[in-house]
Amino acid sequence: MYTQAMSIGPQDQAAKLQTAEEQQREEAFEARVAEGDFIEAKDWMPEHYRKTLVRQISQHAHSEIVGMLPEGNWITRAPTLKRKAILLAKVQDEGGHGLYLYSAAETLGTSRDQMLDALHTGKAKYSSIFNYPTLTWADIGVIGWLVDGAAIMNQVPLCRCSYGPYARAMIRICREESFHQRQGYESLLVMMREGTDAQKAMVQDAVNRWWWPSLMMFGPADKDSPNSEQSMRWGIKRLTNDELRQKFVDATVPQAELLGVTLPDAALQWNAERDHYDFGAIDWNEFWRVVGGNGPCNTERLAARVKAWDEGEWVREAALAHARKRATAAQAA
Ligand SMILES: [Fe+2]
Ligand SMILES: [Fe+2]
């Protein structure tokens, strides 16, 4: 995904006095963005634009690698070799997405170590969806369908983000996310069409648990999303949280019907006047509780990342020693 938390965080735009020259540069920058130009790493950019991007791209990168954990949990328990191979490939893809995104964020002058340190010390956010547990095999299909589906809705507009390295990373990521979504949906279709009653009930239960957290992936309502307006003006964001959430609901309801599952929302119904589905109220208390670190698996996820980082220290040291040795040999040659 997984960009849910992008518009959350302190508004760090300090009021400051600008010189005439600074103001001119900023106006020229804004004109370029308005024309749809891509901003590249070496171009001048306002400090707040840089900070906003570092926060968003690093949160996105963290979400990719933390997102590997709930699914990785099922690799050893996948029901068939085919499903195991697909899940392994998907989890690897998510690791790759993290790498593209850390690289994109590094072009803005922040090191990977700094970003990972922020994640491991709890200063950085990642998408709250990954703080929910994966209780049954059906959760894996539902994550592909709903979580990767919501991620795609969020991320396709980012392929036109004004910052070139981020936009280019997103093009590749979106292609892979689309496969993730389809494999999840297909695995659920198999369970719903060929499965036992118990398996069908398992799919319905997973949908019941993941539906609302998936809607929360689009972040707070527009009225509670203070950074969105600036991000839209800078071409970092192209659609608001509420617009994206509505698009997701509209796209997903027919898929649920085809699958034969019920979405757990009594208020969900087609509104011909609006030409959209109406849906019920999101439990924002739950959203803020999970964002604030008190979801079902926050502690477990962070502990798993820190453990992996600590246990991988010897690998990083060995890789660096090998790189140094090669560089020395190349110099001597
Ligand atoms: Fe991903
Ligand atoms: Fe994915």
Side-chain angles (χ1 to χ4, degrees):
M1 137 146 233
Y2 305 100
T3 46
Q4 161 242 291
M6 71 172 91
S7 51
I8 300 163
Q11 263 193 302
D12 46 2
Q13 188 172 26
K16 60 174 189 208
L17 293 171
Q18 284 185 319
T19 64
E21 195 194 334
E22 278 170 345
Q23 204 179 338
Q24 261 176 7
R25 270 199 306 202
E26 190 148 344
E27 280 167 10
F29 169 88
E30 296 206 346
R32 277 187 67 190
V33 170
E35 274 168 31
D37 255 14
F38 282 117
I39 306 300
E40 297 299 335
K42 287 183 179 162
D43 295 343
W44 182 87
M45 62 187 81
E47 218 28 54
H48 185 51
Y49 175 84
R50 185 185 298 276
K51 272 192 188 161
T52 302
L53 276 170
V54 167
R55 188 174 67 224
Q56 177 170 331
I57 302 172
S58 62
Q59 281 178 1
H60 190 167
H62 299 328
S63 303
E64 299 285 353
I65 63 167
V66 176
M68 297 166 78
L69 299 170
E71 290 186 289
N73 191 28
W74 279 90
I75 289 173
T76 54
R77 290 178 285 169
T80 65
L81 185 59
K82 176 180 140 185
R83 296 291 172 199
K84 190 194 286 266
I86 293 173
L87 183 58
L88 264 173
K90 179 182 192 287
V91 172
Q92 275 188 325
D93 283 353
E94 307 299 7
H97 297 172
L99 294 182
Y100 309 152
L101 290 164
Y102 283 123
S103 301
E106 279 180 312
T107 64
L108 292 158
T110 305
S111 75
R112 196 170 302 199
D113 281 352
Q114 279 173 307
M115 290 184 270
L116 287 170
D117 186 61
L119 173 66
H120 296 155
T121 53
K123 284 185 215 125
K125 299 265 182 246
Y126 56 84
S127 181
S128 284
I129 194 80
F130 302 118
N131 291 316
Y132 290 85
T134 41
L135 302 180
T136 70
W137 171 252
D139 288 41
I140 299 305
V142 170
I143 286 179
W145 174 39
L146 296 181
V147 176
D148 289 274
I152 293 166
M153 210 49 99
N154 256 329
Q155 292 175 4
V156 166
L158 290 173
C159 299
R160 291 183 293 124
C161 160
S162 59
Y163 188 56
Y166 191 26
R168 289 189 289 274
M170 289 318 303
I171 290 171
R172 191 159 167 186
I173 290 174
C174 282
R175 284 190 191 132
E176 293 179 352
E177 297 298 4
S178 156
F179 173 73
H180 296 172
Q181 199 261 355
R182 279 181 285 165
Q183 68 77 33
Y185 191 71
E186 191 270 343
S187 86
L188 297 176
L189 265 183
V190 170
M191 287 174 85
M192 292 302 289
R193 289 184 176 171
E194 297 162 29
T196 61
D197 285 349
Q199 286 170 321
K200 290 176 192 171
M202 201 161 84
V203 173
Q204 182 61 58
D205 171 66
V207 170
N208 293 347
R209 285 180 289 106
W210 289 93
W211 174 247
W212 290 105
S214 299
L215 293 191
M216 294 176 197
M217 284 176 68
F218 298 93
D222 292 349
K223 64 177 174 45
D224 300 318
S225 184
N227 297 326
S228 282
E229 202 186 309
Q230 179 69 78
S231 284
M232 301 271 288
R233 211 154 58 87
W234 274 335
I236 297 174
K237 233 178 135 132
R238 300 285 182 187
L239 295 165
T240 73
N241 295 355
D242 288 337
E243 285 168 346
L244 289 164
R245 193 167 7 246
Q246 182 71 63
K247 269 169 81 83
F248 175 71
V249 172
D250 291 348
T252 309
V253 173
Q255 294 168 0
E257 283 165 5
L258 185 70
L259 197 55
V261 293
T262 311
L263 296 171
D265 178 0
L268 190 69
Q269 62 173 11
W270 179 250
N271 182 330
E273 229 167 84
R274 289 203 310 124
D275 210 20
H276 289 294
Y277 281 95
D278 288 337
F279 54 96
I282 289 172
D283 181 354
W284 292 113
N285 287 333
E286 176 181 332
F287 173 78
W288 291 113
R289 194 167 60 240
V290 183
V291 169
N294 298 309
C297 301
N298 296 57
T299 312
E300 187 185 328
R301 299 289 183 242
L302 205 55
R305 283 306 327 163
V306 171
K307 183 169 178 273
W309 177 256
D310 291 344
E311 288 179 356
E313 192 174 355
W314 70 271
V315 180
R316 294 191 298 279
E317 276 176 11
L320 282 171
H322 182 64
R324 273 195 298 268
K325 206 165 129 186
R326 286 185 63 153
T328 314
Q331 260 176 1

